[in-house]
Amino acid sequence: MLDKSSKIYVAGHHGLVGSAIWNNLKARGYNNLVGRTHKELDLTDQVAVKQFFDEERPEAVVLAAAFVGGIMANSLYRADFIMQNMKMQCNVISESYAHSVKKLLFLGSTCIYPKNAPQPMTEDCLLTSPLEYTNEEYAIAKIAGLKMCESYNLQYGTNYIAVMPTNLYGPNDNFHLENSHVMPAMMRKVYLAKLIHDGDWEKIAIDMNKRPVEGFSGTSQRDEILAVLAKYGIYNNKVVLWGTGTPLREFLWSEDMADASVHVLLNVNFSDIIGIEKYSSVHYGVMANGTVDRNHSAGRGGAIPSLGEIRNCHINVGTGKELTIRELSELVVKAVGFDGVVEFDATKPDGTMRKLIDVSKLHSLGWMHKVEIEDGVQKLFDWYRGTLS
């Protein structure tokens, strides 16, 4: 087990989930935390990552760093999505093993599941049929990451756990229109459309200065600002959103995700997921912290037939509840106080039509969500507006 003095490296500690995990650990009294910004440590640089592990020697690692974005970004930067994420994962996981890290938590995404998977999706749906094309590269990278964790555990007796969160939202979300996810993008669009209608150019300038759009900021000419916002479906009291509005989505408050992640990090071991009796039956020496004593191993786990097929050891993290994109837009409109028009452009892609996950494994491990979507949307808008004050 990790104690309060254990050194824990949180990769991606300024991101949406990483920052929430950092704060959650702090609140629980874990103060020996290590973080590096992207400028301080490029996780795609193998030499730099090795040097970091050589110097810091963390006892546990949370791999929350990722190259992420919505449908538009996934379509434009396909090579980046697979290559950047694969490099980061390979470097961090391999150096964690090389430096005898006790526990590693890998954060993936529920986009790992097939486009037409049965709903709600259990962990066993993985690799049963084709993926959604629009985020295929990101999904493949994340599948590779969870398989790395699973394979290292089976071959080397490590204690690496992979969690697959549903769509996340919350403090420190990405509101940049070019590469943000559906909820923050929608929220900012509705807010800016309201400000244009109100003629509140002071607030528009603050917003654009905080998060420029294609190089245009609050100091740009008004006609330039209106033109670039129109490219993203933002008009005077009107917003145009991609798709039909009918896809169903599940959303999880990022601080709930952080709490689930820390719960798993501190309380759940690989042996808990696959059954300690099966894990022990091949003569591994399972220690109190859930890791395997490599000095008392009968051999490489993956090479022992009596172990059977062990797969899909990852854990879904979500609410088990869903709503349509149109219903989400109605919650955003209410939170922002927008009285304009929201239109859906059916010529644009919807992405996967439904993505609800089964969270029974997570519940059986002792964790359930707390923040419901109706409250969460308002909390997110309050946070966003606070960044502009």
Side-chain angles (χ1 to χ4, degrees), residues 325-346:
I325 296 297
R326 187 179 295 276
E327 289 170 333
L328 174 65
S329 72
E330 292 167 357
L331 292 177
V332 170
V333 162
K334 180 180 177 182
V336 176
F338 182 65
D339 60 4
V341 176
V342 175
E343 293 181 0
F344 286 87
D345 182 356

Side-chain angles (χ1 to χ4, degrees), residues 242-249 322-327 344 349-355:
W242 278 30
T244 63
T246 57
L248 288 156
R249 289 291 181 271
E322 60 189 344
L323 78 168
T324 67
I325 296 297
R326 187 179 295 276
E327 289 170 333
F344 286 87
D350 272 324
T352 306
M353 292 305 295
R354 195 179 181 205
K355 257 180 65 173

Side-chain angles (χ1 to χ4, degrees), residues 16 25 47 57 70 79 87 109-110 170 228 265 269 281 286 295 351:
L16 173 64
L25 284 165
V47 174
R57 299 276 173 178
K87 282 182 177 179
S109 166
T110 52
V228 74
L265 179 69
N269 297 307
S281 68
V286 181
N295 296 320

Side-chain angles (χ1 to χ4, degrees), residues 23-304:
N23 293 335
N24 190 289
L25 284 165
K26 284 276 190 181
R28 293 175 186 243
Y30 290 81
N31 293 309
N32 193 7
L33 306 181
V34 181
R36 293 288 187 276
T37 65
H38 177 67
K39 287 184 179 179
E40 293 169 333
L41 175 61
D42 180 358
L43 293 178
T44 67
D45 184 335
Q46 186 176 10
V47 174
V49 174
K50 180 183 184 303
Q51 183 178 355
F52 166 78
F53 274 83
D54 286 344
E55 293 171 355
E56 292 293 342
R57 299 276 173 178
E59 296 173 64
V61 170
V62 177
L63 182 43
F67 186 78
V68 299
I71 292 177
M72 183 183 293
N74 274 273
S75 299
L76 292 173
Y77 310 116
R78 298 182 74 88
D80 289 343
F81 271 93
I82 191 165
M83 186 60 76
Q84 300 289 344
N85 284 297
M86 287 291 291
K87 282 182 177 179
M88 287 190 275
Q89 294 163 193
C90 287
N91 290 339
V92 173
I93 292 173
S94 63
E95 291 303 326
S96 293
Y97 174 70
H99 292 82
S100 301
V101 165
K102 293 179 182 177
K103 189 80 175 279
L104 182 142
L105 185 73
F106 172 74
L107 277 70
S109 166
T110 52
C111 72
I112 62 169
Y113 293 118
K115 179 176 183 177
N116 298 314
Q119 304 288 319
M121 299 177 291
T122 66
E123 287 83 357
D124 290 337
C125 290
L126 185 66
L127 298 176
T128 55
S129 61
L131 299 163
E132 161 60 40
Y133 180 75
T134 56
N135 61 12
E136 192 174 40
E137 280 70 21
Y138 183 73
I140 289 171
K142 289 301 179 182
I143 291 170
L146 74 87
K147 284 295 182 182
M148 283 183 222
C149 292
E150 192 173 274
S151 300
Y152 266 82
N153 292 343
L154 293 174
Q155 181 169 346
Y156 296 119
T158 51
N159 197 14
Y160 301 166
I161 312 295
V163 290
M164 300 295 127
T166 189
N167 302 291
L168 300 172
Y169 69 106
N172 295 314
D173 217 332
N174 176 13
F175 282 81
H176 290 276
L177 296 178
E178 294 100 316
N179 59 2
S180 59
H181 283 124
V182 58
M183 191 189 301
M186 181 189 296
M187 188 170 285
R188 188 179 181 197
K189 288 177 182 182
V190 170
Y191 178 63
L192 285 169
K194 180 180 186 299
L195 294 181
I196 293 171
H197 179 67
D198 294 344
D200 196 336
W201 284 94
E202 181 180 348
K203 288 184 179 177
I204 291 172
I206 292 172
D207 181 281
M208 296 285 288
N209 283 331
K210 181 79 174 179
R211 300 173 180 89
V213 181
E214 294 187 7
F216 293 96
S217 67
T219 61
S220 302
Q221 297 296 315
R222 290 187 182 184
D223 59 343
E224 293 176 325
I225 291 175
L226 290 173
V228 74
L229 293 182
K231 288 176 62 176
Y232 293 89
I234 304 166
Y235 306 94
N236 183 344
N237 224 30
K238 182 175 120 175
V239 171
V240 178
L241 303 175
W242 278 30
T244 63
T246 57
L248 288 156
R249 289 291 181 271
E250 175 184 11
F251 293 94
L252 179 67
W253 183 244
S254 61
E255 292 174 336
D256 271 356
M257 174 57 196
D259 194 62
S261 298
V262 174
H263 174 80
V264 170
L265 179 69
L266 300 179
N267 301 300
V268 178
N269 297 307
F270 185 61
S271 54
D272 299 321
I273 296 170
I274 66 171
I276 193 166
E277 68 287 343
K278 187 174 187 179
Y279 205 44
S280 301
S281 68
V282 293
H283 312 299
Y284 277 118
V286 181
M287 296 185 288
N289 65 0
T291 61
V292 175
D293 184 348
R294 299 175 197 176
N295 296 320
H296 294 87
S297 168
R300 294 179 175 179
I304 300 176

